[in-house]
Amino acid sequence: MSNKTSELNELIEITRDGKRFYDHARDEVKDAQLKALFTDMAHAKTEVIAALEGKVAANHEQPASGGTMTGKIRQVYADTRAALSSDEGATYIAQLEEAEDRILHAFEDAMASNEPDLRTDLATQMPKVRACHDRMRDLKKAQ
């Protein structure tokens, strides 16, 4: 497996963690606006994952199909905090914003790599990644 494919697969896994977390949070919260937001954010993650999987497949390699242990741990932590909180929405927003930080930093690190092909592949996804990050950051600040 090439270094480029390895990095793309790592980004797929981290982004899939985010998608799964949004799907899970959507099912846990009661607020209709948050449900709609989390659905929208999960959809954005699905689009990024599909684009990255296409890049891996174009290299005749197998895209990652799972997530990471860190992503699963973050989800369990958020569930625990939400169960103990009087405002489950705020708890999920805070934890999802941290997940967005993780995704953004992973993409930024990959963009800083010495592989021009990788930077080119990721440049089309960065606006969506940043927009998702900024949306959750702004929502967290507004609370």
Side-chain angles (χ1 to χ4, degrees):
M1 180 182 304
S2 72
N3 188 41
K4 176 182 169 183
T5 299
S6 178
E7 288 204 48
L8 286 170
N9 275 333
E10 182 178 328
L11 293 173
I12 289 169
E13 290 175 337
I14 291 168
T15 306
R16 186 171 285 118
D17 287 345
K19 184 216 178 300
R20 289 177 177 166
F21 197 177
Y22 279 111
D23 286 338
H24 177 76
R26 177 200 59 225
D27 295 341
E28 295 296 317
V29 298
K30 294 168 185 68
D31 183 275
Q33 287 181 315
L34 284 181
K35 284 183 180 289
L37 171 66
F38 295 165
T39 297
D40 187 42
M41 297 294 277
H43 180 71
K45 299 291 178 255
T46 299
E47 291 175 353
V48 171
I49 292 165
L52 297 178
E53 287 174 335
K55 299 296 183 184
V56 172
N59 293 330
H60 307 288
E61 303 219 31
Q62 185 68 30
S65 59
T68 68
M69 182 59 75
T70 300
K72 186 61 180 166
I73 291 169
R74 182 176 300 280
Q75 185 176 319
V76 170
Y77 176 72
D79 286 345
T80 304
R81 298 251 344 235
L84 299 172
S85 172
S86 62
D87 188 354
E88 68 180 4
T91 300
Y92 280 110
I93 289 168
Q95 293 303 308
L96 286 162
E97 191 269 338
E98 287 183 24
E100 288 294 342
D101 282 347
R102 180 175 179 236
I103 293 167
L104 179 62
H105 292 306
F107 271 79
E108 288 173 341
D109 289 348
M111 289 286 292
S113 80
N114 293 325
E115 291 196 41
D117 287 352
L118 181 61
R119 286 193 304 271
T120 301
D121 289 346
L122 298 180
T124 58
Q125 299 307 311
M126 281 304 290
K128 188 173 293 185
V129 170
R130 283 189 200 286
C132 286
H133 172 271
D134 293 351
R135 192 171 178 188
M136 288 307 294
R137 180 201 61 212
D138 293 347
L139 184 59
K140 181 180 173 186
K141 284 182 180 179
Q143 294 206 325

